[in-house]
Amino acid sequence: MNIRSAPRTLAAATTALLALGGVAACSDDAAGTDPQRVDVVAAFYPLQFLAERIGGDAVKVTNLAKPGAEPHDLELNPGQVGDVSQAELVVYLKGFQPNVDEAVEQNAGDRAFDVATVQPLRDAAAGGHEHEHEGEADATGEPHAEEEGGGKDPHLWLDPTRLATVGDRLAERLGKADPERAADYTARAATLRTELEKLDGEFTAGLKTCQRREIVVSHTAFGYLTERYQLEQIGITGLSPENEPSPQRLAEVIEEAREHKATTIFFETLVSPKVAQTIADQVGAKTAVLDPLEGLSTDGGDYLSVMRTNLQALRTALSCS
Ligand SMILES: [Zn+2]
Ligand SMILES: [Zn+2]
């Protein structure tokens, strides 16, 4: 055997074994085989929330992302790859977690439901915060875009109405996997839609009249939310959370925060607040949490309660009436 190819060969052999279910029993949270319930694997928290609310007690949901862990760069252990290969339905968002995408491609086949296919994703650069800054022409003449160019924005769950539509499609998929209970799934999706539309109404009303509309956030997770409620996000980092922005980016964000008289620099529960604190100190602002809900923090709650906390934080930061 060629030594160099050994790791890859070993990995392929492991994958094959897992596909047969030989190792899955070692996992603490293996999807298992409950004949009464549909085994669903969800790739991260908002998809777990949907599957649990719509599946009710007819499903057993395993979340691949652990509570309190940032899910973008999630790595799967062999037991979790086993869960993916044994699940009756895998709910994931292609383009959000590369390691999940790979495991799904290799092990889930047509049992996978990619929620990114429900509605077209927004372009990462669309609606980004861009404008000519009066009185200080940019030396390079380039528009100062806060977003990296290209690519799609995966953070669709931060628009409650989009999440409701994903829920409707998920109910259909569950109904195909478990036809006897299809009507239950449809009914629970409709109930959830009502709750999400109520939340949407609260956001619309609560953010209607505000003194400012720009929010300075840790990473640009809030594009769907800002688009829906006519806000603008200024991201310290881009579509993925990173610990350290470049010194140039830091200087730009400080300038933006000053120009838009930001009272609050937002940070996330699952990422260090250090950089947000640095910027806040520079511009004389406070820091506060704006939760992108990629995972639940250890404070608990659920999608609806965390979103309502987010709304209060936004209303305070933007001085909404
Ligand atoms: Zn993100
Ligand atoms: Zn600006």
Short mmCIF file of all heavy atoms in Angstrom, two decimals, residues 253-281:
data_model
loop_
_atom_site.label_atom_id
_atom_site.label_comp_id
_atom_site.label_asym_id
_atom_site.label_seq_id
_atom_site.Cartn_x
_atom_site.Cartn_y
_atom_site.Cartn_z
N VAL A 253 -14.86 50.13 11.08
CA VAL A 253 -16.07 49.93 11.90
C VAL A 253 -16.18 51.03 12.95
O VAL A 253 -17.27 51.55 13.21
CB VAL A 253 -16.08 48.52 12.54
CG1 VAL A 253 -17.27 48.38 13.50
CG2 VAL A 253 -16.15 47.44 11.47
N ILE A 254 -15.04 51.40 13.52
CA ILE A 254 -15.06 52.49 14.51
C ILE A 254 -15.55 53.78 13.87
O ILE A 254 -16.39 54.50 14.42
CB ILE A 254 -13.65 52.66 15.13
CG1 ILE A 254 -13.35 51.47 16.06
CG2 ILE A 254 -13.52 53.99 15.88
CD1 ILE A 254 -11.91 51.37 16.51
N GLU A 255 -15.08 54.04 12.65
CA GLU A 255 -15.52 55.24 11.93
C GLU A 255 -17.02 55.18 11.65
O GLU A 255 -17.75 56.17 11.83
CB GLU A 255 -14.73 55.33 10.62
CG GLU A 255 -14.93 56.61 9.87
CD GLU A 255 -14.32 56.51 8.46
OE1 GLU A 255 -13.13 56.17 8.36
OE2 GLU A 255 -15.05 56.75 7.49
N GLU A 256 -17.49 54.01 11.20
CA GLU A 256 -18.92 53.85 10.91
C GLU A 256 -19.76 54.04 12.17
O GLU A 256 -20.81 54.69 12.14
CB GLU A 256 -19.19 52.44 10.35
CG GLU A 256 -18.73 52.24 8.93
CD GLU A 256 -19.64 52.93 7.94
OE1 GLU A 256 -20.73 53.38 8.34
OE2 GLU A 256 -19.25 53.04 6.76
N ALA A 257 -19.29 53.43 13.25
CA ALA A 257 -20.05 53.51 14.51
C ALA A 257 -20.17 54.96 14.95
O ALA A 257 -21.22 55.41 15.41
CB ALA A 257 -19.37 52.67 15.58
N ARG A 258 -19.08 55.72 14.80
CA ARG A 258 -19.10 57.15 15.17
C ARG A 258 -20.05 57.91 14.28
O ARG A 258 -20.89 58.67 14.74
CB ARG A 258 -17.70 57.75 15.04
CG ARG A 258 -16.78 57.37 16.16
CD ARG A 258 -15.66 58.41 16.32
NE ARG A 258 -14.81 58.03 17.44
CZ ARG A 258 -13.58 57.54 17.28
NH1 ARG A 258 -13.06 57.40 16.08
NH2 ARG A 258 -12.87 57.20 18.34
N GLU A 259 -19.91 57.66 12.96
CA GLU A 259 -20.71 58.42 12.00
C GLU A 259 -22.20 58.21 12.23
O GLU A 259 -23.01 59.15 12.11
CB GLU A 259 -20.34 58.03 10.58
CG GLU A 259 -21.20 58.80 9.59
CD GLU A 259 -20.85 58.49 8.15
OE1 GLU A 259 -19.70 58.10 7.89
OE2 GLU A 259 -21.73 58.65 7.30
N HIS A 260 -22.58 56.96 12.53
CA HIS A 260 -24.01 56.67 12.70
C HIS A 260 -24.44 56.77 14.16
O HIS A 260 -25.52 56.33 14.52
CB HIS A 260 -24.32 55.29 12.11
CG HIS A 260 -24.07 55.23 10.64
ND1 HIS A 260 -24.83 55.92 9.74
CD2 HIS A 260 -23.11 54.60 9.91
CE1 HIS A 260 -24.36 55.70 8.52
NE2 HIS A 260 -23.32 54.91 8.59
N LYS A 261 -23.57 57.35 14.98
CA LYS A 261 -23.89 57.60 16.38
C LYS A 261 -24.42 56.36 17.10
O LYS A 261 -25.42 56.40 17.83
CB LYS A 261 -24.91 58.76 16.49
CG LYS A 261 -24.37 60.06 15.87
CD LYS A 261 -25.32 61.23 16.07
CE LYS A 261 -24.68 62.56 15.67
NZ LYS A 261 -24.06 62.57 14.32
N ALA A 262 -23.75 55.25 16.84
CA ALA A 262 -24.17 53.99 17.47
C ALA A 262 -24.03 54.09 18.98
O ALA A 262 -23.01 54.55 19.49
CB ALA A 262 -23.31 52.83 16.95
N THR A 263 -25.08 53.68 19.68
CA THR A 263 -25.04 53.67 21.15
C THR A 263 -24.61 52.31 21.66
O THR A 263 -24.28 52.17 22.83
CB THR A 263 -26.43 53.96 21.74
OG1 THR A 263 -27.33 52.91 21.33
CG2 THR A 263 -26.97 55.30 21.27
N THR A 264 -24.66 51.32 20.76
CA THR A 264 -24.48 49.94 21.18
C THR A 264 -23.68 49.18 20.13
O THR A 264 -23.96 49.30 18.94
CB THR A 264 -25.86 49.24 21.33
OG1 THR A 264 -26.69 50.04 22.18
CG2 THR A 264 -25.70 47.86 21.94
N ILE A 265 -22.69 48.44 20.59
CA ILE A 265 -21.97 47.52 19.70
C ILE A 265 -22.41 46.11 20.12
O ILE A 265 -22.23 45.71 21.27
CB ILE A 265 -20.44 47.67 19.85
CG1 ILE A 265 -20.01 49.15 19.72
CG2 ILE A 265 -19.71 46.78 18.84
CD1 ILE A 265 -20.31 49.79 18.39
N PHE A 266 -23.00 45.39 19.17
CA PHE A 266 -23.56 44.08 19.52
C PHE A 266 -22.51 42.98 19.44
O PHE A 266 -21.67 42.97 18.54
CB PHE A 266 -24.72 43.74 18.59
CG PHE A 266 -25.97 44.54 18.88
CD1 PHE A 266 -26.45 45.47 17.96
CD2 PHE A 266 -26.66 44.35 20.06
CE1 PHE A 266 -27.60 46.19 18.22
CE2 PHE A 266 -27.82 45.07 20.34
CZ PHE A 266 -28.29 45.99 19.42
N PHE A 267 -22.59 42.06 20.37
CA PHE A 267 -21.77 40.84 20.26
C PHE A 267 -22.68 39.64 20.39
O PHE A 267 -23.88 39.77 20.63
CB PHE A 267 -20.64 40.83 21.31
CG PHE A 267 -21.10 40.74 22.75
CD1 PHE A 267 -21.10 39.51 23.40
CD2 PHE A 267 -21.52 41.85 23.44
CE1 PHE A 267 -21.51 39.41 24.73
CE2 PHE A 267 -21.94 41.77 24.77
CZ PHE A 267 -21.94 40.55 25.41
N GLU A 268 -22.12 38.43 20.18
CA GLU A 268 -22.90 37.20 20.16
C GLU A 268 -22.62 36.37 21.39
O GLU A 268 -21.53 36.46 21.96
CB GLU A 268 -22.53 36.36 18.92
CG GLU A 268 -22.76 37.10 17.64
CD GLU A 268 -22.23 36.33 16.44
OE1 GLU A 268 -21.97 35.11 16.58
OE2 GLU A 268 -22.08 36.95 15.39
N THR A 269 -23.59 35.54 21.73
CA THR A 269 -23.41 34.71 22.92
C THR A 269 -22.33 33.65 22.73
O THR A 269 -21.69 33.26 23.69
CB THR A 269 -24.72 33.99 23.27
OG1 THR A 269 -25.28 33.47 22.06
CG2 THR A 269 -25.70 34.94 23.92
N LEU A 270 -22.11 33.18 21.50
CA LEU A 270 -21.21 32.04 21.30
C LEU A 270 -19.83 32.47 20.82
O LEU A 270 -18.99 31.65 20.49
CB LEU A 270 -21.82 31.04 20.30
CG LEU A 270 -23.21 30.51 20.67
CD1 LEU A 270 -23.70 29.51 19.62
CD2 LEU A 270 -23.22 29.87 22.05
N VAL A 271 -19.58 33.79 20.75
CA VAL A 271 -18.30 34.30 20.28
C VAL A 271 -17.79 35.31 21.31
O VAL A 271 -18.57 36.01 21.93
CB VAL A 271 -18.48 34.98 18.89
CG1 VAL A 271 -17.19 35.59 18.39
CG2 VAL A 271 -19.02 33.98 17.86
N SER A 272 -16.47 35.40 21.47
CA SER A 272 -15.90 36.31 22.47
C SER A 272 -16.30 37.77 22.23
O SER A 272 -16.28 38.25 21.10
CB SER A 272 -14.36 36.21 22.43
OG SER A 272 -13.80 37.32 23.10
N PRO A 273 -16.66 38.50 23.29
CA PRO A 273 -17.08 39.91 23.13
C PRO A 273 -15.91 40.89 23.08
O PRO A 273 -16.11 42.09 23.04
CB PRO A 273 -17.91 40.15 24.40
CG PRO A 273 -17.31 39.25 25.42
CD PRO A 273 -16.82 38.02 24.66
N LYS A 274 -14.67 40.39 23.05
CA LYS A 274 -13.50 41.25 23.21
C LYS A 274 -13.43 42.38 22.17
O LYS A 274 -13.23 43.54 22.50
CB LYS A 274 -12.22 40.40 23.12
CG LYS A 274 -11.32 40.54 24.33
CD LYS A 274 -10.14 39.59 24.26
CE LYS A 274 -9.25 39.83 23.04
NZ LYS A 274 -8.18 38.82 22.92
N VAL A 275 -13.61 42.01 20.89
CA VAL A 275 -13.48 43.01 19.83
C VAL A 275 -14.60 44.04 19.92
O VAL A 275 -14.37 45.24 19.77
CB VAL A 275 -13.47 42.34 18.44
CG1 VAL A 275 -13.42 43.39 17.34
CG2 VAL A 275 -12.26 41.41 18.32
N ALA A 276 -15.82 43.56 20.18
CA ALA A 276 -16.95 44.49 20.34
C ALA A 276 -16.67 45.46 21.47
O ALA A 276 -16.96 46.67 21.36
CB ALA A 276 -18.24 43.70 20.60
N GLN A 277 -16.09 44.98 22.56
CA GLN A 277 -15.77 45.83 23.70
C GLN A 277 -14.74 46.89 23.32
O GLN A 277 -14.86 48.06 23.69
CB GLN A 277 -15.26 44.96 24.86
CG GLN A 277 -15.09 45.72 26.16
CD GLN A 277 -16.42 46.28 26.68
OE1 GLN A 277 -17.36 45.52 26.91
NE2 GLN A 277 -16.52 47.60 26.83
N THR A 278 -13.72 46.47 22.54
CA THR A 278 -12.69 47.41 22.09
C THR A 278 -13.32 48.55 21.30
O THR A 278 -13.02 49.73 21.53
CB THR A 278 -11.67 46.68 21.18
OG1 THR A 278 -11.12 45.59 21.92
CG2 THR A 278 -10.56 47.60 20.72
N ILE A 279 -14.21 48.21 20.36
CA ILE A 279 -14.86 49.23 19.54
C ILE A 279 -15.75 50.12 20.41
O ILE A 279 -15.73 51.35 20.28
CB ILE A 279 -15.68 48.57 18.40
CG1 ILE A 279 -14.73 47.83 17.45
CG2 ILE A 279 -16.51 49.60 17.65
CD1 ILE A 279 -15.42 46.94 16.45
N ALA A 280 -16.51 49.50 21.30
CA ALA A 280 -17.39 50.27 22.17
C ALA A 280 -16.61 51.27 23.00
O ALA A 280 -17.01 52.43 23.15
CB ALA A 280 -18.19 49.32 23.07
N ASP A 281 -15.45 50.85 23.54
CA ASP A 281 -14.61 51.75 24.32
C ASP A 281 -14.15 52.94 23.47
O ASP A 281 -14.14 54.08 23.94
CB ASP A 281 -13.38 51.00 24.86
CG ASP A 281 -13.77 49.98 25.93
OD1 ASP A 281 -14.91 50.04 26.43
OD2 ASP A 281 -12.92 49.11 26.25
#
